[in-house]
Amino acid sequence: MPFATAILTDPSIPAPARQKALDRIFSDPGVPSSSTTSSFWLQTPRAFEQSSLPLPTEVDVVIIGSGITGTSIARSLLEDGASPSILMLEARSICSGATGRNGGHILETADEYAEFVDMFGVEDAKKLMRFRLGHLSEMLAVARELGIAEESQARKVQFLSVYFGEEPWSAAVERLRRFKADMPEEAAEWTSFEGEEIPKDFHLNRARGIVAGPAGALWPYKFVTGVLAHLLSKHPENFRIEEQTSVEAIENTSAFYEVKTNRGTVKARHVIHCTNAHVSHLVPGLRGRIFPVRGQMSAQTPGESFPSQGAAHSWIFNYDRGFDYLTQLPSGQMMLGGGFAQGEHGGLEELGIPTDSEMSMYIDIHLSGALPAIFGRKDWGGTSGDPVQAMWTGNMAFSSDGFPWVGRLPESATGRTEADQGGEWICAAFGGEGMVQAWFCGRALATMLLAGDEVLGQGADADVEWFPKQLLSSKERFDNTGLPREIIDTSHRASL
């Protein structure tokens, strides 16, 4: 069970508090608020030339959202298909949502492999893992291909997944054993250290054990805006982005969708929802199936005694409750996120929050003090000035069954009949793991769209056999997922 929904079944949390969280989950998330916390990643926004022209009256495809997902879809449609006319709409500024606020960590620990095997069998588990693991080489290759690797600081590192307790460490060793036994080729770079074997230059003397493997890190905003700048330059007649343009409603006119915005109406044959935490605003049937979860990030100054490891390592710190994630920029800043389980009611108060304008005091306290304790105060050293350079929040989207939703939306989700010549599509709900899911999800959706469009899809590769079926959007999935509407509390024991 995904940790975000597992909290709702925790009997140690009062049922009224859990019901309030469930009420938030079933509420309309609205459009992204103009009031936000200040993300470190967005401190130097890229300048895009903004058109003074009115919105186009008609396009082939409207993509709602300008993060990594929408960018992947646009790239695949423009460069793998028949160059459709695409309008990307962003309610705020480009890439100011989840992608511009995440940890910039391309990390797959393979911890999920054993769980996938138990749920779906070995072959499906391998397919899911190959899908997730493939993002590291693909995203680094895209950065090199477009000449934005240096600008986006895209780099391969070794992740160190650190355990401090005996029981969690034993469980991690068993998960690693199963992964390496079943997928030896993919697991070739994975290894482990424990006790005296842990290298001293890791500065993790309090660790019980460490699982290490390949990972990546980058400046997510600069990666996405770099790709978008390339697309705008290469496809000026077919691709357009409009900021400060929120979609207020969608209506079907049989042949087209009318996308109504705060700046006018655009007709489109295809509408793609890449709004993640806000998706159920325009697709109300997804409330209780996809919902926002607020996450918190920080940029911190390393201690004066801590050696720069940004080109070598990234980290996951596994606690008795929850975990944190950390990368270090080549310039030295420590980009630490997490602290979810240290939030009020174990993170329950972050569920169903669709805004990024406020922060949790409890998570702030945890993130602000974690690093000296983890690396040891002697090895960390003091800092000059404010050790926390920035603290901000962002909205992730989780699904009730723990997997992204990718593909054509059923009418039962939208409440709208499908257009005769197109459809409504979704690519959302990455559960806080968008960096190892979103890019290929976007590619798969573009492939599905082209395969079903007789005009745009001529000559396009329609193969999506590589895509895990657990992530597909369908009426069957819609009918069989979704949280119950009320918490049931009987005999002082609460359950869903």
Side-chain angles (χ1 to χ4, degrees):
M1 179 182 292
F3 74 84
T5 51
I7 304 173
L8 294 168
T9 67
D10 186 347
S12 69
I13 301 174
R18 289 186 283 136
Q19 184 62 55
K20 287 182 179 179
L22 201 56
D23 291 344
R24 292 195 299 269
I25 285 171
F26 276 90
S27 298
D28 182 353
V31 298
S33 170
S34 59
S35 176
T36 70
T37 52
S38 182
S39 168
F40 177 92
W41 301 120
L42 302 174
Q43 61 180 299
T44 53
R46 179 187 288 270
F48 285 92
E49 182 178 350
Q50 293 302 300
S51 171
S52 59
L53 300 174
L55 295 179
T57 57
E58 186 176 319
V59 294
D60 292 317
V61 180
V62 164
I63 298 175
I64 310 173
S66 65
I68 190 170
T69 308
T71 299
S72 174
I73 293 170
R75 185 172 191 261
S76 295
L77 288 175
L78 289 167
E79 304 195 348
D80 295 344
S83 295
S85 56
I86 299 175
L87 176 63
M88 178 178 282
L89 300 177
E90 173 55 56
R92 301 192 299 203
S93 58
I94 292 175
C95 197
S96 60
T99 305
R101 295 171 175 274
N102 71 23
H105 209 176
I106 312 171
L107 174 68
E108 175 50 63
T109 65
D111 280 350
E112 296 87 355
Y113 175 71
E115 180 181 355
F116 290 157
V117 171
D118 294 342
M119 293 171 63
F120 308 117
V122 171
E123 292 309 311
D124 275 4
K126 288 181 177 180
K127 192 171 186 177
L128 281 160
M129 291 307 303
R130 291 186 180 116
F131 165 79
R132 294 161 70 99
L133 291 168
H135 281 74
L136 173 58
S137 59
E138 177 67 15
M139 293 179 69
L140 295 182
V142 169
R144 290 192 299 269
E145 174 192 338
L146 301 184
I148 60 173
E150 182 176 356
E151 172 192 356
S152 65
Q153 301 179 10
R155 59 204 184 275
K156 183 178 179 181
V157 296
Q158 180 188 49
F159 78 78
L160 304 177
S161 186
V162 185
Y163 294 84
F164 301 98
E166 185 64 42
E167 187 175 337
W169 171 240
S170 297
V173 170
E174 174 58 18
R175 290 193 298 268
L176 178 63
R177 183 198 67 76
R178 291 181 66 177
F179 173 56
K180 290 182 74 70
D182 289 358
M183 303 184 72
E185 182 177 348
E186 290 83 358
E189 293 184 64
W190 265 256
T191 188
S192 62
F193 308 92
E194 62 178 313
E196 295 299 319
E197 298 175 352
I198 298 175
K200 298 299 182 184
D201 59 4
F202 284 1
H203 299 278
L204 291 164
N205 298 328
R206 304 175 74 174
R208 173 63 186 87
I210 297 172
V211 173
L218 49 73
W219 194 301
Y221 173 82
K222 291 183 178 180
F223 175 83
V224 166
T225 56
V227 176
L228 290 175
H230 167 78
L231 294 176
L232 288 168
S233 174
K234 187 175 179 180
H235 304 278
E237 301 300 320
N238 297 84
F239 184 47
R240 182 169 163 185
I241 304 174
E242 292 293 333
E243 299 179 292
Q244 310 301 327
T245 308
S246 58
V247 178
E248 299 173 342
I250 298 172
E251 295 181 3
N252 185 312
T253 61
S254 73
F256 294 93
Y257 292 99
E258 288 190 348
V259 181
K260 299 179 180 298
T261 80
N262 61 328
R263 296 176 52 207
T265 298
V266 180
K267 290 183 178 181
R269 292 195 296 119
H270 298 279
V271 177
I272 307 176
H273 298 268
C274 302
T275 51
N276 216 29
H278 296 271
V279 71
S280 68
H281 174 59
L282 295 169
V283 190
L286 291 177
R287 293 172 197 169
R289 293 173 173 83
I290 298 177
F291 53 92
V293 175
R294 185 173 63 187
Q296 199 150 317
M297 271 291 299
S298 67
Q300 303 190 31
T301 302
E304 294 172 348
S305 300
F306 188 77
S308 177
Q309 300 185 46
H313 295 131
S314 66
W315 300 262
I316 292 284
F317 305 119
N318 302 280
Y319 309 124
D320 179 54
R321 290 191 308 129
F323 61 93
D324 295 336
Y325 42 92
L326 172 71
T327 63
Q328 185 175 22
L329 301 187
S331 54
Q333 289 93 344
M334 311 294 283
M335 310 302 291
L336 177 67
F340 183 86
Q342 284 69 42
E344 190 174 354
H345 286 136
L348 182 77
E349 298 306 314
E350 307 306 306
L351 267 61
I353 303 295
T355 57
D356 48 25
S357 56
E358 297 179 341
M359 292 181 287
S360 162
M361 181 185 71
Y362 298 107
I363 297 176
D364 190 336
I365 291 170
H366 169 78
L367 294 179
S368 296
L371 294 179
I374 290 169
F375 290 108
R377 287 172 176 80
K378 181 179 179 182
D379 286 350
W380 185 252
T383 57
S384 57
D386 190 347
V388 178
Q389 298 179 25
M391 184 82 68
W392 66 94
T393 51
N395 295 117
M396 304 172 283
F398 281 69
S399 68
S400 56
D401 62 5
F403 291 98
W405 279 69
V406 182
R408 189 184 292 269
L409 279 164
E411 293 180 3
S412 49
T414 64
R416 296 176 282 270
T417 57
E418 290 188 354
D420 295 339
Q421 302 176 32
E424 280 190 75
W425 305 78
I426 184 173
C427 198
F430 304 108
E433 298 178 319
M435 297 298 280
V436 291
Q437 299 195 93
W439 191 259
F440 282 164
C441 282
R443 177 181 293 180
L445 187 140
T447 302
M448 295 176 207
L449 186 152
L450 292 173
D453 191 302
E454 295 181 358
V455 177
L456 300 179
Q458 291 184 357
D461 181 6
D463 177 27
V464 289
E465 286 299 313
W466 52 271
F467 191 70
K469 62 184 179 183
Q470 290 80 9
L471 283 59
L472 291 170
S473 168
S474 67
K475 185 179 185 303
E476 180 183 9
R477 185 178 177 189
F478 179 86
D479 291 341
N480 294 321
T481 58
L483 297 171
R485 190 62 187 82
E486 294 184 357
I487 298 288
I488 300 173
D489 187 13
T490 59
S491 301
H492 304 290
R493 296 186 64 183
S495 61
L496 284 177

